[in-house]
Amino acid sequence: MKKRDMNRDWIATARTLSEALPYLQRYDGAIVVIKLGGHAMGSDEAMDSFARDVVLMRQVGVNPVIVHGGGPMINQMLDKLSIKSDFVNGKRVTDEATMEVVEMVLSGRVNKRIVQAINAQGGKAVGLSGKDANLMTCDPADPALGLVGTPAEMDPSLLHTLFRDDTIPVIAPLGSGRNGETFNINGDTAAGAIAAALKADRLLLLTDIDGVRDSSGEVVTELTADQIRDMTTQGIIAGGMIPKTETCLAAIDGGVRAAVILDGRAPNACLLELFTDHGAGSIIRNG
């Protein structure tokens, strides 16, 4: 009979699983909306790792909802098709020709890649956009930007139906206008609006940064909404972090229990955030 020595790594793995039990119980039946972007979409390896984590979340009773971006892929396709864009204050104007490409890339190439990755890991995912079942009805965000929208009315009933069938929704950030238009929506904004409509337990924004930093450059792991507002007023939160924190605040105001800005480059970032003591980014709660 072969003797098996107890490896330290095995013992550490078992301890981690044991310590995760309270969190597994805590999130049983919870809705977690994840905005997928950045590094996590950048390679097949990263995508497979993310998909495996999402399937594990569903397996232990969490109801994950994936909302994705796709800006770099849209830019590549516009360049390939020689479609030139105008810009207003650094933001792309989405005209009808650009919108056709945006919808093709987001609802087609990007959305189905994520769906296939989740299904390949043993999950059951379905691809949607905000146009399906009137999930997101939009108003123009800024008339100067053309077909760029802001969610104005939400109907998440289809998502609840999918939860009951153990199905993972993967949502492209597109919405319908009141006059039949198709609107492109910022991915973070779409994720926040969907999380609020679902009264989700968590909104996780996967980014290529490791969280919100204070004035000394250190990542702050726990923040209140009031602290976020103060840090923004003082200029500590600036640049691209402002729209992300604004998305978090809007989601919390809409009924989400907490929002987290976390580093999507970290392996198993979502699992670390949900099922361990230390988390993986900056969590923002009301207060």
Side-chain angles (χ1 to χ4, degrees):
M1 182 179 293
K2 184 177 179 181
K3 184 177 180 181
R4 174 175 290 180
D5 295 326
M6 292 300 289
N7 183 291
R8 287 185 179 180
D9 289 341
W10 300 344
I11 295 171
T13 299
R15 182 179 296 114
T16 299
L17 291 171
S18 178
E19 291 173 352
L21 177 60
Y23 300 100
L24 296 174
Q25 294 169 328
R26 158 75 177 76
Y27 286 104
D28 186 25
I31 297 172
V32 176
V33 177
I34 305 169
K35 162 58 194 329
L36 176 62
H39 178 81
M41 294 179 65
S43 69
D44 290 341
E45 182 180 2
M47 182 67 74
D48 289 344
S49 176
F50 172 78
R52 194 177 306 113
D53 290 354
V54 168
V55 173
L56 189 151
M57 291 164 61
R58 178 55 262 177
Q59 189 67 39
V60 299
V62 177
N63 291 307
V65 178
I66 315 305
V67 182
H68 63 83
M73 297 78 153
I74 293 170
N75 292 339
Q76 290 172 8
M77 185 59 70
L78 289 171
D79 290 342
K80 184 176 181 179
L81 296 175
S82 299
I83 296 176
K84 296 183 179 180
S85 300
D86 294 324
F87 290 84
V88 174
N89 297 325
K91 296 181 179 179
R92 185 193 303 275
V93 176
T94 303
D95 58 16
E96 290 187 7
T98 301
M99 190 67 243
E100 287 186 16
V101 175
V102 168
E103 185 164 21
M104 175 178 67
V105 172
L106 291 180
S107 286
R109 176 184 171 191
V110 177
N111 188 274
K112 300 315 173 191
R113 180 188 175 209
I114 300 167
V115 168
Q116 286 181 313
I118 293 172
N119 291 343
Q121 297 298 330
K124 184 168 65 170
V126 63
L128 307 166
S129 80
K131 294 169 64 176
D132 290 298
N134 298 315
L135 174 57
M136 289 191 283
T137 300
C138 295
D139 290 330
D142 180 347
L145 297 177
L147 296 170
V148 176
T150 299
E153 296 178 11
M154 306 292 294
D155 182 356
S157 55
L158 174 61
L159 303 184
H160 289 289
T161 300
L162 294 174
F163 297 154
R164 290 193 291 271
D165 194 39
D166 293 333
T167 301
I168 300 168
V170 179
I171 304 171
L174 303 168
S176 298
R178 301 180 189 277
N179 299 310
E181 315 97 316
T182 297
F183 281 105
N184 184 20
I185 309 166
N186 174 273
D188 289 347
T189 301
I194 290 168
L198 290 168
K199 302 293 188 257
D201 194 277
R202 287 288 185 275
L203 168 64
L204 306 182
L205 298 182
L206 293 180
T207 68
D208 285 343
I209 53 178
D210 46 8
V212 179
R213 295 182 180 273
D214 61 19
S215 57
S216 62
E218 296 295 320
V219 174
V220 185
T221 57
E222 295 189 21
L223 292 151
T224 66
D226 288 341
Q227 287 173 322
I228 290 290
R229 295 185 183 99
D230 288 343
M231 292 169 71
T232 304
T233 300
Q234 296 169 29
I236 298 170
I237 293 175
M241 182 57 73
I242 291 177
K244 293 190 180 299
T245 53
E246 287 180 345
T247 293
C248 293
L249 295 181
I252 292 168
D253 287 343
V256 176
R257 287 191 60 179
V260 187
I261 298 172
L262 67 162
D263 191 349
R265 300 168 298 180
N268 312 114
C270 293
L271 300 185
L272 287 170
E273 176 56 39
L274 295 178
F275 301 132
T276 69
D277 282 330
H278 49 77
S282 299
I283 187 168
I284 303 166
R285 295 185 175 92
N286 231 332

mmCIF file of all heavy atoms in Angstrom, residues 14 100 152 265:
data_model
loop_
_atom_site.group_PDB
_atom_site.id
_atom_site.type_symbol
_atom_site.label_atom_id
_atom_site.label_comp_id
_atom_site.label_asym_id
_atom_site.label_seq_id
_atom_site.Cartn_x
_atom_site.Cartn_y
_atom_site.Cartn_z
ATOM 1 N N ALA A 14 -7.442 22.832 2.381
ATOM 2 C CA ALA A 14 -8.550 22.371 3.225
ATOM 3 C C ALA A 14 -8.944 23.439 4.236
ATOM 4 O O ALA A 14 -10.138 23.668 4.489
ATOM 5 C CB ALA A 14 -8.158 21.084 3.948
ATOM 6 N N GLU A 100 -24.183 50.229 -35.469
ATOM 7 C CA GLU A 100 -24.282 48.896 -36.072
ATOM 8 C C GLU A 100 -23.080 48.040 -35.702
ATOM 9 O O GLU A 100 -23.206 46.854 -35.384
ATOM 10 C CB GLU A 100 -24.407 49.003 -37.595
ATOM 11 C CG GLU A 100 -25.760 49.496 -38.073
ATOM 12 C CD GLU A 100 -25.877 49.446 -39.585
ATOM 13 O OE1 GLU A 100 -25.044 48.749 -40.223
ATOM 14 O OE2 GLU A 100 -26.789 50.079 -40.131
ATOM 15 N N ALA A 152 -33.032 54.562 -18.050
ATOM 16 C CA ALA A 152 -34.070 55.366 -17.411
ATOM 17 C C ALA A 152 -35.148 54.497 -16.776
ATOM 18 O O ALA A 152 -35.697 54.858 -15.734
ATOM 19 C CB ALA A 152 -34.708 56.308 -18.436
ATOM 20 N N ARG A 265 -7.034 41.715 -12.462
ATOM 21 C CA ARG A 265 -5.789 41.026 -12.824
ATOM 22 C C ARG A 265 -5.425 39.965 -11.799
ATOM 23 O O ARG A 265 -4.653 39.054 -12.098
ATOM 24 C CB ARG A 265 -4.645 42.039 -12.932
ATOM 25 C CG ARG A 265 -4.867 43.124 -13.976
ATOM 26 C CD ARG A 265 -3.855 44.242 -13.837
ATOM 27 N NE ARG A 265 -3.977 44.901 -12.533
ATOM 28 C CZ ARG A 265 -3.216 45.922 -12.151
ATOM 29 N NH1 ARG A 265 -2.296 46.397 -12.965
ATOM 30 N NH2 ARG A 265 -3.387 46.472 -10.961
#
